[in-house]
Amino acid sequence: MIVMKFGGTSVGDAARIRGVAAIVRSRLARRPMVVVSAMAGVTDALLAAFARTGSGRRAGAELATRHAAVARRLGVPAAAVADELRELAEALEAARERRSASARDRDGVLSFGERLSARRVAACLRAEGIEAGAVRADEAGLLTDDRFGEAEPLAVALPCLRRSLARVRGVPVLTGFIGRTRDGSITTLGRGGSDFTAALAGAATGAEEIEIWTDVDGVMSADPRVVPEAHTIERLSYAEAAELAYFGAKVLHPKTMLPALRKGIPMRVLNTHRPSHPGTRVARSADRAHEVVKAIACKKGITLVNIVSSRMLLAHGYLARLFQVFADHRIPVDVVSTSEVSVSLTVDRTAGLREAVRELRRFAQVEVRHGRALVCAVGEGMIHSAGVAARLFAALGGEGINVEMVSQGASKLNVSLLVRGDDADRAVRALHARFFGGG
Ligand code: ADP
Ligand code: ASP
Ligand code: MG
């Protein structure tokens, strides 16, 4: 069995959904299980509908119109999604009436994107003569904790999912992105989380391969929207892919690699617009690449926190105390760099940061700089190669881009450089040109 996950663009309109059916048909001998995202733009539209509670009704109606148009063009019955659309309208109405709608309500509303999409794709497969059934992950046992918006699957989720999926006749079409708490509330796994669902489904069913179908030719040496001459990377290790995803390569959700790695399931990232392209294979070990650096990634919206304290000098327990403040406020820290009296670190979420800074100021001077970006060079080859950092600095220096912080993890997979947000795209292009030519 294989898992085939189709992202938002791949199911974005009737023509693309037909393309998906053709790709699924080409894999029928390998017993495919399909995972789908919401149609492109639908999750954002649902978020807007939920937030602008006043115009919630209209946004719901617009979505209904869009889905009806796709159904018509596909020639599948509109009734296939009629009950989901009705429930969505009710959920939006309920959120509008409640004085302060919660994160739980929001996840409930967001779930409709994937629910509608799974119904639609399953109906299209059936219309094309392929036996298929839509499966809601929340109803199929994908149990999670109750961190709405960023829920973590529970261990029991995998055996539950396996049992549910085994019962489906024909090709299961599973909703990406969503799960359910033990007490029955719908959760979401974080933006872009359908990739993660695919990996969980693959791990649950012992799939031989997980295919991530998207709108580009695999994982590329940089975001092709920023660097048009970026090339496809043939092979990546799970660690390299995870590092790239974590540091901004949106093509894969950062959590996707973990379930695949645990079960040793290879992944392939493929292009629905060009199904014959081999894309990128992600597996336990990458080929011994000739390239030192395989890709340049970039994560924007980063905040730098500089913490200076003379008391730090020789004080044991200081760092533990400092990081405890971030842990207490549930603020994940991305990159850290220290000297004898100062610690610089970056965070990509500012919720709780103001309170954390207030606490830190009890024992240190703290400076906060918003609007930064982390630009990262990733590749296992860097372990064996001297001088990468020098080349990185030379490339950015040549462009007059100031580097505010540098960090190289112990794994030596990644060198991260912090720059001003305005300089980020230029920095990515300069580094790409330095390591891969062109530009
Ligand atoms: P999907 O809807 O299929 O999940 P996403 O929009 O989440 O697709 O991810 C695909 C997009 O990721 C591409 O269109 C591309 O702009 C962006 N991207 C960023 N970095 C990379 C990279 N290194 N390789 C490929 N795509 C990347
Ligand atoms: N639809 C969700 C999102 O837009 C999940 C996904 O596409 O993977 O974030
Ligand atoms: Mg995605």
Side-chain angles (χ1 to χ4, degrees), residues 192 194-196 198-200 210 212 252-261 267:
S194 299
D195 301 328
F196 187 29
L200 292 168
I210 298 163
I212 305 289
L252 287 170
H253 185 277
K255 290 182 186 164
T256 312
M257 272 51 73
L258 201 59
L261 165 76
M267 298 171 43

Side-chain angles (χ1 to χ4, degrees), residues 34 49 116 140 147 157 221 228 250 270 278 291 293 307 316 334 348 377 385 387 422:
V34 171
L116 287 160
R147 269 183 281 166
S221 51
K250 184 179 166 232
L270 294 153
E291 317 102 41
V293 169
I307 303 157
H316 59 81
D334 278 346
D348 72 352
S385 174
D422 299 345

